[in-house]
Amino acid sequence: MVAVLHERHGGTMLSAETITRKIEQGLLEWPGRLRGDALLLTLGSPLQPLAALGRQVIDLADQESIDTLYGDAITDWTTYEMEPGAMLLGAVGQPLRLGAGVMGLIGGLSHLARVGLAVHVTSPFVLPGWNGYLTLELVNTGPAALRLHHGMPLGRLLIFALDGAHSDEVAPHRFYGRPVDLMSRYADEFTLRSEERRS
């Protein structure tokens, strides 16, 4: 994956020493710990369970339909039991800001993969300009319920420096920095044309 990232995006993975230097220079803000040459991602609040029942159909072109997929967010919690086959959105416990010229790549911990917990099931990329709390999409693919603990390490974020010209300023994304709203905003961002909705 690292080789593919470098080939396609022209990036170099940063060492712990370089990450620390970029934090000191204000090019990256991270109040949490490092694990090797990566940021250690821990599970914070809120948790956002999915609550659709039976064969409910979610229309991905309709934000109100997407919103019905979610139950109430859980903000005050110590442990949470995740049933087999369940999906849960969880905020990372520490805020992150990436300046221009640096990006991140989310990876899970193999210890958790070996009990069936997938930590991040979609795009691993965190682009320059990110500012806020990352959301992890957790799926229990194993045969047993798993007890999650507030503050437990869940994954890591590798940091890459981008090669080539880039602006010193990054345009903020309108969905960045929203720690209490972990739900999908797909239809709010993308308007599907009628031919896209038919295919």
Side-chain angles (χ1 to χ4, degrees):
M1 174 60 86
V2 172
V4 170
L5 177 71
H6 189 279
E7 178 182 335
R8 292 183 182 171
H9 300 279
T12 301
M13 185 179 142
L14 303 186
S15 67
E17 180 180 348
T18 304
I19 291 170
T20 301
R21 189 163 57 247
K22 289 199 176 289
I23 291 173
E24 292 169 351
Q25 295 168 344
L27 300 174
L28 188 158
E29 292 179 15
W30 176 250
R33 295 184 292 157
L34 299 184
R35 180 178 188 259
D37 293 317
L39 312 184
L40 182 64
L41 306 179
T42 63
L43 185 58
S45 291
L47 298 179
Q48 179 65 68
L50 279 69
L53 301 174
R55 291 190 48 80
Q56 178 180 354
V57 174
I58 303 300
D59 182 351
L60 296 179
D62 179 355
Q63 190 60 53
E64 288 185 11
S65 179
I66 293 172
D67 292 346
T68 66
L69 186 58
Y70 301 101
D72 294 331
I74 303 167
T75 56
D76 185 18
W77 70 283
T78 304
T79 62
Y80 181 91
E81 293 193 5
M82 191 174 181
E83 296 297 324
M87 182 175 183
L88 178 71
L89 307 179
V92 169
Q94 302 80 21
L96 169 71
R97 185 186 66 79
L98 296 179
V102 291
M103 66 168 291
L105 184 68
I106 297 173
L109 300 179
S110 59
H111 298 299
L112 297 177
R114 292 170 189 171
V115 298
L117 184 62
V119 170
H120 194 63
V121 298
T122 182
S123 171
F125 301 108
V126 184
L127 299 180
W130 170 264
N131 187 9
Y133 291 78
L134 295 172
T135 300
L136 300 177
E137 297 94 8
L138 287 74
V139 177
N140 182 358
T141 66
L146 299 173
R147 182 173 295 144
L148 306 178
H149 296 262
H150 194 283
M152 67 182 286
L154 277 185
R156 56 191 170 179
L157 187 73
L158 306 177
I159 302 295
F160 291 81
L162 302 183
D163 293 340
H166 56 77
S167 170
D168 289 337
E169 297 294 327
V170 287
H173 191 288
R174 65 183 175 136
F175 295 114
Y176 284 179
R178 297 172 62 170
V180 297
D181 184 6
L182 308 183
M183 301 183 298
S184 170
R185 293 290 164 224
Y186 181 82
D188 281 346
E189 182 168 0
F190 299 103
T191 302
L192 301 182
R193 298 186 302 271
S194 57
E195 60 270 19
E196 292 172 325
R197 296 177 72 170
R198 285 196 301 269
S199 56

